[in-house]
Amino acid sequence: MSRIVDLAHRHMPSLPPKDWERPVPSRVGLRRDIVAALGFLVLALALQELVLSMVERDEMADRPVAFALIVALIVPLMFRRRWPVSMMLIGSAVFMLGGSQPTASVLMQFCPQVAYFLGLYTAVAWARDRRALWTAMTLVLLAMAVWLIVSFFTSDLLESMDVPMVENSLGSVEPRVAFPLYTFAINILYFGGAIFLGLTSWSNAYAGELVRSQARRIADQADQLASQAVSEERLRIARELHDVIAHHIASVGVQASAARMVQGRDPDKASELMRGIESSARSAVSETRALLGVLRSTEHGQDANPTDGDRHPEPSLQQLDRLIEQNADLGLRVELSTAEHRAQYFSGLPSGLSLALYRICSEALANVRRHSTARSARLSLRSGTDERGTWVEVEITDEGTARPDRAGGGYGLRGIRERAALHHGLVEIGPRTPRGWRTRARLRDVSDSTPDKVQT
């Protein structure tokens, strides 16, 4: 038997692994087994009483013996899923002990047959120790086979089973040969059917466990993706807050310093710088309030993109002219040049890519103002295609020298690299020869796959 099971494991991928154990039913399920077995016992006893009323006294066991056999066969079903192998062995022992006349006629009734079949099926379907199961099943099958063979050769089983000796039968097989063959075939179907259905239930339970495990894994992955999305959104907001503070608040400091220096000799210039401070402060407050509004609306389960009056659309390349004007007000003249590989390409960029390019330009120009002596810079915006697809590039250069009293924390450059990495881009940042500084970032536009030629 174990050899057959090993072959089945190798050639039937649907069977569970040998070391898999089917979970024990819940307490509710075990209580249902007891209730169902009690109901089935009442039905079996009632049917047996009807049988006793329909047959001769000499052809059937006495009522106490018959009822005792039925009780001994059905009561183990109350615990069939708690101790499946033990209950199968008890049922088999009762079945073989009661297999002689006149008690054999009791076990041939419908309910005892169903009870023993259910015991065999449950053992195969629910046994957690498969080695013990197949060992016990092998012993049961061998005992049943030996019992049948011995019964055929040591007693007149045909007469005891009331098999008529037909002298002129329609069949081609001798009755004394046909009856044993018929009996063995019925037993093969009986035991084989119980084992097959039990294996099917066992395999289906394993498949169900796999489905539930995969469902739990998918739910865990969904939670992880949701958590990752929240983390990415927080990182994006952190970058935006850095840009707001670094660009506007730093500008306030620079303009305040300049206003203090020229206040005595040029009041008009100082007044103009103070207006720039006011404008930068208002912009910082407005953009910070918008970002905090995103956080509040997300925390309360509301739409993260409300359209109230305090919100402003996120900047993009469409606001480059405004960015250039702001830098001019802060004392940095910016010259813009563009080269598109397709007409109106920059105006149709995805919002995320356009925002990243705008922030890179803004951060690079802020670095020029804060850390360089240059009073002018060149901003070049280019796009094109290569074997990897469409790219868009921004380059900011100047010809100034580094201010010795200005040392940054490196967060702005890190933000540029992070934004470029989100769009599969590359960044080159460093000094130029003979002087100056260059910041170049090439990002990938995965939404565009048109292999057009570059147009200047």
Side-chain angles (χ1 to χ4, degrees), residues 116-135:
Y116 186 45
F117 185 92
L118 188 58
L120 294 170
Y121 158 80
T122 304
V124 179
W126 286 91
R128 305 185 71 190
D129 189 345
R130 307 307 287 183
R131 184 181 297 276
L133 165 69
W134 295 121
T135 301

Side-chain angles (χ1 to χ4, degrees), residues 198-257:
L199 285 175
T200 301
S201 175
W202 187 52
S203 300
N204 290 340
Y206 176 70
E209 188 68 23
L210 285 181
V211 171
R212 288 188 291 272
S213 176
Q214 292 173 355
R216 288 192 296 269
R217 188 180 301 112
I218 292 173
D220 292 341
Q221 291 175 350
D223 292 340
Q224 293 175 2
L225 290 176
S227 177
Q228 181 180 355
V230 172
S231 298
E232 291 177 352
E233 181 65 11
R234 288 176 177 174
L235 181 60
R236 184 190 71 82
I237 294 175
R239 292 194 190 99
E240 299 298 325
L241 284 173
H242 167 267
D243 291 338
V244 169
I245 295 173
H247 299 166
H248 295 295
I249 304 303
S251 297
V252 168
V254 172
Q255 292 177 98
S257 177

Side-chain angles (χ1 to χ4, degrees), residues 37-76:
L38 287 174
F40 187 60
L41 177 60
V42 172
L43 174 63
L45 293 176
L47 292 179
Q48 181 62 32
E49 182 64 28
L50 295 178
V51 171
L52 291 175
S53 302
M54 293 187 296
V55 299
E56 296 289 341
R57 181 183 299 271
D58 296 337
E59 296 177 1
M60 180 63 66
D62 293 338
R63 181 181 289 105
V65 176
F67 281 13
L69 279 176
I70 293 175
V71 170
L73 196 61
I74 295 180
V75 166

Side-chain angles (χ1 to χ4, degrees), residues 16-35:
K18 292 182 180 180
D19 57 349
W20 180 73
E21 294 183 352
R22 187 171 184 174
V24 178
S26 63
R27 293 183 178 179
V28 175
L30 295 176
R31 286 196 295 268
R32 288 175 180 172
D33 289 345
I34 296 176
V35 174

